Amino acid sequence: MNGVDDLLSRIADLESFFDAFFSKVHQTDFDHIANLFQVIDGSHEFHHFLGLVFSQLQLADFCQIINKVLVENIDFLGKAITVTSEQGPGFTIVDGGQPVNPDFGSVVSFMNGEGPDSVLEGFELTKGSGNLIGVYLRGGGICCTNSSSPTIMNNIIIGNSADIQGGGVLCLNSSSPTIENNTINNNP
């Protein structure tokens, strides 16, 4: 089996795994989503995985992430979900430096009217470049737009950037997030 065939086989196996997992999981089963991460890959880095998980989450779900480096750009997709880390920002890093689409490079986006039940807690958010709003990239660490008012607690937002506004956190268009006990540093 050559490298391409091996890769296609691994992708097919993962697709089968996800289909089976999400067909059986119930809303309350997401309390232990960390086990899913351990099953998929024992390494310390995951690439663009949460998008798949978030697309399957329903309202009022809970997602706890184990201690890992996640290469992700998270979009809450308007959902009232709680995303928290197992041990806090010293142990769980979300690296937004490799976005799938360079126009959506914020580490975390709340762009669909999320309310206070959309909760982000306990992460280090780094290397975000911002989402394209107008002609500029804005909100490198966290981008809140379109009347989004999520709850953002106990995070470290560091080493993100933007062209003109919100290297760390951007709030536009009637957005009013609750931001408590976060460290926001070095976000040019």
Side-chain angles (χ1 to χ4, degrees):
M1 183 178 273
N2 68 34
V4 172
D5 291 335
D6 184 48
L7 178 62
L8 291 174
S9 175
R10 289 187 70 202
I11 290 170
D13 290 344
L14 281 174
E15 287 175 345
S16 296
F17 172 80
F18 283 124
D19 288 344
F21 177 82
F22 287 121
S23 69
K24 294 179 181 167
V25 76
H26 293 87
Q27 198 166 4
T28 56
D29 293 333
F30 277 98
D31 288 344
H32 299 287
I33 196 77
N35 293 330
L36 174 62
F37 279 88
Q38 291 173 328
V39 169
I40 292 171
D41 186 352
S43 73
H44 296 288
E45 198 168 283
F46 296 95
H47 293 270
H48 310 295
F49 174 72
L50 288 180
L52 176 62
V53 172
F54 278 29
S55 69
Q56 300 298 321
L57 290 173
Q58 302 300 314
L59 295 177
D61 275 332
F62 178 85
C63 181
Q64 183 177 52
I65 310 300
I66 59 174
N67 306 332
K68 295 288 182 182
V69 174
L70 304 164
V71 179
E72 291 285 340
N73 301 87
I74 301 169
D75 187 340
F76 268 67
L77 301 171
K79 297 183 179 187
I81 55 178
T82 296
V83 180
T84 185
S85 67
E86 184 179 56
Q87 289 185 313
F91 299 92
T92 308
I93 299 168
V94 183
D95 175 343
Q98 298 177 37
V100 173
N101 180 339
D103 291 344
F104 295 96
S106 296
V107 181
V108 179
S109 296
F110 299 97
M111 299 177 63
N112 297 290
E114 290 87 352
D117 291 332
S118 296
V119 178
L120 179 71
E121 181 176 12
F123 295 93
E124 179 179 318
L125 308 176
T126 190
K127 299 183 184 173
S129 58
N131 290 340
L132 188 64
I133 299 173
V135 295
Y136 297 105
L137 293 171
R138 305 172 193 211
I142 297 175
C143 183
C144 294
T145 64
N146 301 322
S147 301
S148 296
S149 299
T151 303
I152 302 165
M153 304 182 307
N154 304 316
N155 300 287
I156 297 172
I157 304 165
I158 189 168
N160 301 287
S161 63
D163 290 340
I164 62 168
Q165 293 173 312
V169 179
L170 173 74
C171 302
L172 283 178
N173 303 328
S174 301
S175 293
S176 181
T178 299
I179 300 175
E180 295 179 350
N181 198 32
N182 294 277
T183 299
I184 305 172
N185 278 333
N186 193 26
N187 297 285

